[in-house]
Amino acid sequence: MNRSLLRTEPVPEEGEDVAATISATETLSEEEREELRRELAKVEEEIQTLSQVLAAKEKHLAEIKRKLGINSLQELKQNIAKGWQDMTATSAYKKTSETLSQAGQKASAAFSSVGSVITKKLEDVKNSPTFKSFEEKVENLKSKVGGTKPAGGDFGEVLNSAANASATTTEPLPEQTQESL
């Protein structure tokens, strides 16, 4: 075997000038071409053999998995769990998680602060002279409608007393006779 045949010329990359490599094949002797054809056939045969071996190994793998009761769904679950575990171990995930946690804490503090401000404002409104005046007017109306009850009570009591007061002040309807129907 000729050692010069083992030296290979670089394979042209995609987009390279193929015409430059064609001229190299024109300078080969007939003996060198024949040697290259034999080598090509040998490599193609090795590739075919390796493909068959790979197919046999994949079939054997599938048989082992079947005997162990491992199905595609279980493999998918395992792959997802492993992927999640790998992802959570990355520094990018840890940094993002930490940043989101800090943002959540800041948002929580902001909402708490807003709640405190709203509570204080509502207390200010309740203690304002306008609200006190409105409250007195409601109490006066309540005492006129419901009679003399002590101030306070809940809304349900106010409604009940107003309903009772209106029921006692209305005049009864005249009875209807059979003829008017």
Side-chain angles (χ1 to χ4, degrees):
M1 181 157 101
N2 190 346
R3 292 272 179 210
S4 66
L5 291 178
L6 294 178
R7 281 187 265 140
T8 59
E9 296 294 323
V11 176
E13 295 292 325
E14 188 175 337
E16 277 190 293
D17 187 10
V18 179
T21 58
I22 292 175
S23 64
T25 59
E26 292 174 1
T27 59
L28 294 176
S29 70
E30 191 59 40
E31 182 182 313
E32 291 171 328
R33 286 178 183 227
E34 189 58 39
E35 182 65 29
L36 287 175
R37 284 187 189 114
R38 282 192 297 271
E39 188 175 346
L40 177 64
K42 183 180 174 186
V43 170
E44 286 176 341
E45 184 179 323
E46 288 174 354
I47 291 172
Q48 181 65 30
T49 302
L50 290 172
S51 295
Q52 291 170 352
V53 169
L54 179 61
K57 294 282 186 186
E58 287 175 340
K59 184 177 179 182
H60 184 65
L61 175 71
E63 182 65 23
I64 291 171
K65 285 181 179 180
R66 186 189 63 75
K67 286 179 180 178
L68 290 173
I70 300 173
N71 60 26
S72 299
L73 182 60
Q74 289 173 328
E75 281 187 87
L76 179 63
K77 286 179 185 178
Q78 289 173 351
N79 289 342
I80 289 173
K82 176 79 168 106
W84 179 255
Q85 183 181 14
D86 291 347
M87 184 190 68
T88 57
T90 64
S91 62
Y93 176 84
K94 289 177 182 175
K95 287 178 184 177
T96 303
S97 177
E98 183 180 313
T99 302
L100 289 175
S101 176
Q102 290 173 357
Q105 290 172 355
K106 288 179 182 178
S108 177
F111 287 133
S112 176
S113 175
V114 167
S116 297
V117 169
I118 290 173
T119 301
K120 183 173 181 341
K121 288 293 181 186
L122 287 175
E123 287 175 3
D124 290 348
V125 167
K126 185 177 178 183
N127 295 329
S128 72
T130 305
F131 187 81
K132 294 287 185 187
S133 172
F134 175 74
E135 190 175 36
E136 287 174 12
K137 289 179 182 178
V138 169
E139 287 297 324
N140 287 338
L141 179 62
K142 178 182 158 188
S143 65
K144 287 180 184 176
V145 171
T148 56
K149 285 198 171 185
D154 66 3
F155 186 69
E157 290 174 358
V158 172
L159 285 177
N160 285 336
S161 66
N164 289 337
S166 65
T168 56
T169 59
T170 59
E171 295 181 22
L173 294 173
E175 290 184 29
Q176 294 180 347
T177 60
Q178 292 281 350
E179 296 171 358
S180 62
L181 294 175

